[in-house]
Amino acid sequence: MKNIRNFCIIAHIDHGKSTLADRLLEYTKTVTGKDLQDQVLDDMDLERERGITIKSHAIQMDYMYQGEKYTLNLIDTPGHVDFSYEVSRSIAACEGALLIVDASQGIQAQTISNLYMALEHDLEIIPVMNKIDLPGAMPDEVEDQIVDLLGCKREDIIRASGKTGEGVFDILNAIVERIKPPVGDPEAPLQCLIFDSVFNPFRGIIAYFKIVNGTINSGDLVKFVATEKEYLADEIGILRLDMSPKKSLSAGNVGYIISGIKTSKEVKVGDTITHVNRPCEKAIDGFEEVKPMVFAGVYPIETEDFEDLRASIEKLQLNDASLTFQPESSLALGFGFRCGFLGMLHMEIIQERLDREFNMDVITTVPNVRYNVYTKKGEMIEVHNPSGLPDLTLIDRIEEPYIRASVITSADYIGPIMTLCLGKRGELVRQDYVSGNRVELVYDMPLGEIVFDFYDKLKSISKGYASFDYHPHGMRESKLIKLDVLLNGEAVDALSTLTHIDNAYTLGKRMCEKLKELIPRQQFDVAIQAAIGTKVISRETVKAVRKDVTAKCYGGDISRKRKLLEKQKRGKKRMKQIGTVEVPQKAFLEVLKLD
């Protein structure tokens, strides 16, 4: 066990984690020949196309150091704030972490939040300054920032480049020298922490675990503590590029177990595995429960696909434990699910994965957050969906969730960023100079305001330099109202939103204008209205398409033409009484991207 090292790589998005992981795999000869490609560990097409890591990936390497063979278990983690739950799980399975900072960009918000997460778990931190080969690198300034943040010595910081391979052997040596081997007793009762799971259509559910105590053998009868279900360990093994089976694994190792589990509810990430005949006394403390930040309805386009959609979401949830869902129904869209996501990028990725991996065409409603509604009787109702709001006459007050947001930027962009935050009802808590030209702005803001486009706007204002991170900061009372969209007098519940009273008029007007562009012309006029309760605050009309019925009357008496036009008019009137408006799926998505 003294020759095992478990570590993960944490950093802000785009600081070169996956590229550095490639070099580590190449230099330890774990991956060779044709398998060696850029971002080896990003195995989803989506990850490669977007150049981001969505899931954390575990892989085992062997490294010879001073004549001894060491086993290194590496977990590469995502950098985007929406996937921070993946990072928290990886950290729970490690004893050390490589903290990677881009030499041209310096320390950013997500770097700091991931670092605090690692320090809470008492991980040994190895600071690495990556991309020192870039012409825009500022190694000395960035070193100062790392020393300020970590309080480490300058000589502890490793200068490296994932592109050229410089400093990679220094990193491998530091992992062996500085990170402590895992502690645990191979003879004690078995305790394994499940930190991830995947679904395989042929073999059922594969759970990835870290053994804290004890030894597990192939063929053992094991029990999952939280679900109290028992299974035979058909196959256990370690994670190389592909899974490689082993007869037995003991404390300190990271591996996988296949036991023919078919239903996704039976595997919970954070659960403990133990033996049936000699169980451990208590389960391992897992990681904190995930808190969804954004809620949106996901509906199948064809109503009969409802059960298929449920199966698809359950399989996705195995792979991504931060996705939560419960069934709901909507007048406009039929049956579907109210899903909880960690952010807008997470929501977009889930939608894309449902389409690619399961061929599910879905409609997503306007995302919103969770509100607490207090009635005049003193009851508290949690509202995830505007259609679940009680009647206005019964409501005493509504509370909405607030977040404490931290924005790190260079001093040049302070003005526009402050304007953006104030426009989103933010309140400045404090402003600190981190180092030289870099400023940290801390704001209290309503979560509902940053759900849509805050992150995108922040990036464009600051030319991509500002970094953003947030955590929940309680609930506060707000003046919120429900804004409905009516098409020919019928409310479309999928487009209704809860919004602050100050934003209602502009939002209603913009939604109507956008829908006018998107809804195709019908044989009759379509009235698009935005309303608060019974009061209409904005209206647009999609004009009717008219067939020229008088085309066949060439010349002749006007009364013949009038007769034909009157007949058409009567037909139109009847059509309007029974006509319904088809709203294209594109309209639902475009309304979200209002600017």
Side-chain angles (χ1 to χ4, degrees), residues 5-8 24 61 72-75 94 96 98 175 179:
R5 301 285 184 272
N6 297 322
F7 69 101
C8 58
L24 294 173
M61 309 179 282
L72 312 181
N73 289 311
L74 151 72
I75 304 179
C94 290
L98 295 183
I175 290 166
I179 296 177

Side-chain angles (χ1 to χ4, degrees), residues 147-437:
V147 171
D148 285 350
L149 179 68
L150 282 176
C152 61
K153 300 190 185 78
R154 267 181 185 280
E155 52 270 22
D156 290 348
I157 301 169
I158 301 171
R159 295 190 178 196
S161 161
K163 198 165 167 190
T164 62
E166 185 183 335
V168 173
F169 282 120
D170 297 342
I171 294 174
L172 287 165
N173 295 341
I175 290 166
V176 174
E177 289 163 8
R178 297 192 211 169
I179 296 177
K180 295 188 282 290
V183 287
D185 178 4
E187 302 305 319
L190 181 69
Q191 266 187 321
C192 307
L193 174 75
I194 299 179
F195 66 89
D196 206 353
S197 57
V198 288
F199 180 77
N200 181 317
F202 306 108
R203 312 205 58 181
I205 291 156
I206 303 170
Y208 296 164
F209 59 78
K210 179 200 176 182
I211 306 177
V212 178
N213 283 313
T215 304
I216 183 170
N217 299 305
S218 180
D220 283 357
L221 192 61
V222 294
K223 182 170 94 170
F224 286 35
V225 176
T227 56
E228 297 196 336
K229 292 264 199 310
E230 298 178 2
Y231 308 100
L232 266 180
D234 294 340
E235 183 184 307
I236 58 168
I238 55 171
L239 299 154
R240 293 277 171 164
L241 240 198
D242 300 313
M243 296 183 288
S244 75
K246 291 274 184 250
K247 283 276 179 281
S248 91
L249 290 171
S250 60
N253 264 303
V254 174
Y256 69 90
I257 177 170
I258 300 177
S259 45
I261 305 171
K262 292 287 183 285
T263 49
S264 44
K265 290 190 182 70
E266 293 177 22
V267 176
K268 295 224 176 348
V269 167
D271 194 0
T272 304
I273 307 176
T274 186
H275 279 132
V276 172
N277 50 13
R278 192 179 161 215
C280 55
E281 286 171 17
K282 64 180 185 55
I284 306 165
D285 296 334
F287 357 89
E288 68 274 12
E289 275 295 298
V290 55
K291 298 183 200 73
M293 291 287 188
V294 178
F295 295 89
V298 174
Y299 293 87
I301 288 179
E302 302 295 334
T303 328
E304 60 265 23
D305 291 344
F306 174 72
E307 281 304 323
D308 294 349
L309 180 62
R310 180 198 293 272
S312 306
I313 294 182
E314 279 183 355
K315 285 174 190 167
L316 254 186
Q317 194 182 28
L318 269 178
N319 207 325
D320 182 350
S322 52
L323 172 68
T324 58
F325 69 97
Q326 60 196 59
E328 70 163 4
S329 62
S330 140
L331 291 171
L333 300 170
F335 290 102
F337 295 96
R338 165 97 349 205
C339 294
F341 306 98
L342 297 182
M344 287 297 274
L345 177 70
H346 188 209
M347 175 173 140
E348 209 177 304
I349 295 287
I350 292 288
Q351 213 175 324
E352 187 96 358
R353 286 182 69 180
L354 280 171
D355 179 29
R356 288 190 186 199
E357 295 172 28
F358 304 100
N359 274 338
M360 294 300 312
D361 286 335
V362 293
I363 291 178
T364 314
T365 62
V366 181
N368 51 33
V369 295
R370 189 195 83 215
Y371 298 96
N372 290 349
V373 179
Y374 291 87
T375 61
K376 291 189 172 159
K377 291 180 184 169
E379 298 168 339
M380 195 273 281
I381 307 167
E382 268 194 16
V383 174
H384 295 141
N385 188 348
S387 60
L389 201 67
D391 196 78
L392 282 176
T393 51
L394 306 174
I395 295 175
D396 177 35
R397 67 182 193 279
I398 302 179
E399 289 186 350
E400 65 174 341
Y402 263 68
I403 56 164
R404 175 67 55 95
S406 146
V407 179
I408 296 186
T409 171
S410 66
D412 316 349
Y413 306 114
I414 291 183
I417 287 174
M418 282 187 157
T419 313
L420 172 69
C421 293
L422 292 171
K424 300 282 187 190
R425 298 192 280 137
E427 299 163 13
L428 183 65
V429 179
R430 64 171 191 275
Q431 172 180 343
D432 302 322
Y433 277 81
V434 184
S435 68
N437 195 26

Side-chain angles (χ1 to χ4, degrees), residues 518-536:
L518 293 165
I519 289 177
R521 290 172 72 183
Q522 321 272 346
Q523 293 278 342
F524 48 87
D525 284 0
V526 177
I528 303 168
Q529 294 164 310
I532 298 170
T534 52
K535 182 182 175 190
V536 174

Side-chain angles (χ1 to χ4, degrees), residues 449-513:
E449 293 282 342
I450 67 153
V451 161
F452 290 126
D453 52 2
F454 178 79
Y455 194 67
D456 302 342
K457 280 187 175 166
L458 179 71
K459 282 291 182 197
S460 55
I461 284 174
S462 64
K463 302 194 173 55
Y465 278 112
S467 60
F468 171 69
D469 188 40
Y470 62 84
H471 56 265
H473 196 66
M475 309 286 283
R476 292 195 202 174
E477 189 178 335
S478 286
K479 284 189 173 173
L480 298 168
I481 45 173
K482 183 179 170 194
L483 180 70
D484 286 313
V485 174
L486 314 173
L487 296 179
N488 276 350
E490 293 280 324
V492 183
D493 59 354
L495 289 172
S496 57
T497 53
L498 275 174
T499 178
H500 194 263
I501 198 158
D502 299 345
N503 304 340
Y505 282 87
T506 46
L507 182 68
K509 189 167 170 34
R510 281 178 9 207
M511 279 175 104
C512 289
E513 285 166 359

